Amino acid sequence: MERLRRPLPGLTVAITVALAVGFIADHYGGPPFLLALLLGMAFNFLSADARVRPGIDLAARSVLRIGVALLGIRITFDRIADLGPVPVLLAISGVAVALGSGLLLARLAGRSPAEGVLSGGAVGICGASAAMAIAAALPRSPQSERLTLLTVIGVTALSTLAMIIYPLLAKTLGLDETAAGVLFGATIHDVAQVLGAGLTVSPQAGDVATFVKLVRVACLLPVVVMVGWAFRAAGDGQAAQTQPLLPPFLIGFVALVVLGSVVTLPAIVVSGVSEVSRWCLLVAISALGVKTSFAELFALGWKPLVLILAETVILLGFVLLGLLILF
């Protein structure tokens, strides 16, 4: 019983912050992941309490992995196939470009490969959710959680700006509804902002943007597996050997993708599981916020944010070039 009671205070803190964020986002708007980070950081003083720390650590790691696993419910092979080959290839190529540019820019800036993969994956795949999933597969270090938080803040802020700016860009370039949807789905970081940008143009653009975005989300599994294997192979000693080749949360992710592809699940089940996933991620990010102070983030410097901005611009340029050639 003691083992079950020990994390309760910290879990209660993380859940309370997440509930407050959900209320604010639903009634007043705003990006929930960013709000969860900032509100959680306001309670950073609680992280020094030995009674709170176990539950905060549990929420930031185990609850996070549950949330990532449940993301698989939204993806089916049929939905991806319905798009046709061109948008799918463009979306997948964009993920590769974001990851490659992340690694290259990190090396040029004197940053670690882990940081390049983390920021490139967040930009290329699905923003905060991808950052959290990739961070879970990377080796832990004193700076890893602070870098993850900074990455989440950066991609969430840029995603919100993109939701406003990209529809204007699509109109300026004269893109039709389908091309605009592909642009939003292949470049904007977070799912909510992708849908928001698409619906700004039209319902059709919103549907296309969402489907293209799901292609990028589907890339989360192979990317996280490859990241885990690469850093496991590069590591040494017992720590590297104890990292599983395929983490259980990714097995859950795959199982839900296969289940949704083989069986037609009721819409209420899909929406319900997606909502549980959203809340798990909110709780996890709230816990990460509690664990981190502004002073620790500022100590990381400006280079991580510039890295994310550069990767975002490179991804936008690549997708626009592809649209001009293929559409």
Side-chain angles (χ1 to χ4, degrees):
M1 286 296 293
E2 177 60 27
R3 187 176 180 182
L4 294 176
R5 283 199 300 262
R6 192 163 172 257
L8 283 180
L11 278 174
T12 301
V13 170
I15 292 171
T16 301
V17 172
L19 288 171
V21 166
F23 179 85
I24 294 170
D26 290 343
H27 289 80
Y28 302 102
F33 286 156
L34 184 57
L35 290 173
L37 277 176
L38 297 177
L39 188 56
M41 291 169 71
F43 291 91
N44 173 252
F45 64 91
L46 291 175
S47 64
D49 191 324
R51 297 170 299 176
V52 173
R53 191 76 188 194
I56 291 296
D57 289 338
L58 179 68
R61 196 154 184 88
S62 298
V63 176
L64 158 67
R65 293 184 171 194
I66 293 171
V68 172
L70 294 179
L71 285 174
I73 197 71
R74 303 176 59 179
I75 304 167
T76 65
F77 302 137
D78 288 342
R79 296 185 75 180
I80 295 174
D82 287 344
L83 281 173
V86 173
V88 171
L89 290 175
L90 189 59
I92 294 174
S93 299
V95 172
V97 166
L99 284 167
S101 63
L103 283 169
L104 178 60
L105 292 171
R107 184 174 181 180
L108 293 175
R111 313 297 290 189
S112 68
E115 187 175 338
V117 168
L118 182 64
S119 60
V123 168
I125 302 174
C126 53
S129 301
M132 304 290 280
I134 292 171
L138 289 171
R140 301 186 73 176
S141 70
Q143 284 193 329
S144 61
E145 289 183 345
R146 295 195 294 273
L147 283 171
T148 301
L149 275 178
L150 198 62
T151 301
V152 170
I153 291 172
V155 295
T156 303
L158 287 175
S159 189
T160 302
L161 287 174
M163 181 179 66
I164 299 169
I165 296 172
Y166 286 13
L168 299 175
L169 178 62
K171 184 176 180 180
T172 301
L173 295 175
L175 300 180
D176 60 24
E177 293 178 338
T178 300
V182 173
L183 172 65
F184 306 150
T187 56
I188 298 178
H189 311 320
D190 288 318
V191 177
Q193 281 85 341
V194 167
L195 181 59
L199 292 178
T200 299
V201 175
S202 71
Q204 180 185 345
D207 289 342
V208 172
T210 302
F211 289 151
V212 173
K213 182 62 179 178
L214 288 177
V215 174
R216 294 166 66 195
V217 175
C219 293
L220 182 63
L221 172 66
V223 168
V224 173
V225 170
M226 287 188 291
V227 166
W229 284 355
F231 281 88
R232 185 178 187 274
D236 56 348
Q238 187 176 2
Q241 296 304 318
T242 55
Q243 290 180 346
L245 288 176
L246 190 61
F249 75 96
L250 289 184
I251 296 175
F253 184 97
V254 173
L256 286 177
V257 172
V258 173
L259 177 64
S261 300
V262 174
V263 179
T264 302
L265 297 173
I268 190 171
V269 172
V270 176
S271 62
V273 174
S274 297
E275 189 67 10
V276 172
S277 173
R278 172 178 173 266
W279 278 104
C280 285
L281 292 175
L282 273 180
V283 170
I285 294 178
S286 298
L288 277 174
V290 173
K291 294 176 68 173
T292 305
S293 69
F294 284 106
E296 290 172 331
L297 287 180
F298 292 147
L300 295 174
W302 52 268
K303 287 185 178 180
L305 292 177
V306 172
L307 194 65
I308 295 169
L309 176 60
E311 292 159 2
T312 299
V313 172
I314 290 172
L315 177 61
L316 175 63
F318 172 79
V319 172
L320 280 175
L321 180 63
L323 286 173
L324 292 175
I325 294 173
L326 299 173
F327 279 80

